[in-house]
Amino acid sequence: MSYVGPDFDAPEPRRPRRGPLMIAAAALVPAALLGWLVYEAVADSGGTPASATPRTGPSSAADSPADDGKLTGSAAAGAASLKGKVVLVDPGHNPGNFRHTTEINRKVDIGTNRKECDTTGTSTNSGYTEAQFTLDVARRLRTILEQQGATVKFTQDGDRAWGPCVDERAHIGNAAHADAAISIHADGAPQGDRGFHVILPASVHQGSADTRPIVGPSRDLGTRIRDGFNHVTGSPLSNYLGKGTGLVVRSDLGGLNLSTVPKVFIECGNMRDSKDAALLTSGAWRQKAAQGISEGIVSFLRG
């Protein structure tokens, strides 16, 4: 764009004499403008002028991608499908646990025995911690589930200096009356041990623990999460636990023993294996992990 400054004003052209045709055309401009304004006002108010033609094709708002990441178009139609459902998401460990070894090493009651409040978790050989991984996947999972209409509760969201302890993690889900609960982890097995597995609660009736009412629903939840995770991520089932099923039953985890709502753990991969670590440290893959977990949870909640 050229600029004509105050010292370089362009000379005004000679104005031609207006004839009758030009006067008539000038009179039509305000009328046309008024008509357009009325059209826009009707459209903005939600109405549709009788002469308007609906937009189709890629320019339609229903088909265009959303800039804010929210569901649009046909996906939005099912956005409230989980309305009224509560999901407890438990990001395993806590990035600050290593600074509070005294607190996390104290023993708490898990029903079958007493066990450490929490641990620091594992990490990749390059130093990417399990606690960082679990919190990132948990937040991605929350976004997906909330877009489906679910209410998502966290045991911790990076807002605590350490913990919570494993017994408190279970109690948070119980107090929320969660319809489903998932604890997200990554393993620290030897190099060569690959793949993911889902941990289910054993039937425990001892002390303050009674998992008998949730064993069946938890197996259903865990099986669906296994299938969804495998489908979306393409990750193999564990080659070192679960005998090729991707499912492991345990009675030594307080987060499961003390739960009164359907709950499972998922070990998303082995942080000490170079191939698995390459996946776990990828943001794109973690998004797939969250999507895979959500598919299983949504399937379970919809029955």
Side-chain angles (χ1 to χ4, degrees), residues 59-191:
S59 61
S60 171
D63 296 326
S64 60
D67 293 334
D68 58 4
K70 294 182 179 179
L71 297 175
T72 59
S74 60
S81 62
L82 297 184
K83 186 176 181 180
K85 299 295 186 180
V86 178
V87 179
L88 185 281
V89 177
D90 176 28
H93 311 289
N94 184 313
N97 275 359
F98 75 96
R99 299 189 186 93
H100 297 271
T101 54
T102 299
E103 291 88 345
I104 67 172
N105 284 333
R106 70 181 179 86
K107 300 292 182 68
V108 298
D109 178 22
I110 66 166
T112 53
N113 62 304
R114 294 181 67 80
K115 200 170 182 179
E116 288 77 10
C117 156
D118 202 0
T119 69
T120 59
T122 186
S123 68
T124 65
N125 293 331
S126 63
Y128 181 61
T129 69
E130 180 183 0
Q132 290 175 288
F133 168 81
T134 63
L135 192 54
D136 182 74
V137 173
R139 287 169 174 167
R140 294 171 187 267
L141 175 61
R142 174 173 58 193
T143 298
I144 296 169
L145 292 174
E146 286 181 342
Q147 287 181 338
Q148 295 284 327
T151 297
V152 180
K153 303 288 187 180
F154 268 34
T155 56
Q156 60 93 11
D157 192 8
D159 51 356
R160 299 177 57 132
W162 58 275
C165 296
V166 294
D167 56 341
E168 185 182 352
R169 290 173 186 266
H171 295 326
I172 292 171
N174 298 344
H177 302 288
D179 297 286
I182 176 76
S183 189
I184 301 172
H185 290 265
D187 213 352
Q191 169 72 28

Side-chain angles (χ1 to χ4, degrees), residues 33-43 49:
L33 178 60
L34 178 62
W36 173 251
L37 291 175
V38 171
Y39 177 92
E40 287 292 289
V42 173

Side-chain angles (χ1 to χ4, degrees), residues 184-203:
I184 301 172
H185 290 265
D187 213 352
Q191 169 72 28
D193 290 347
R194 287 206 61 204
F196 78 96
H197 62 277
V198 178
I199 303 174
L200 314 176
S203 182

Side-chain angles (χ1 to χ4, degrees), residues 275-292:
K275 292 182 179 179
D276 274 5
L279 299 176
L280 298 167
T281 54
S282 163
W285 186 88
R286 291 195 299 273
Q287 184 64 30
K288 290 182 179 180
Q291 183 64 49

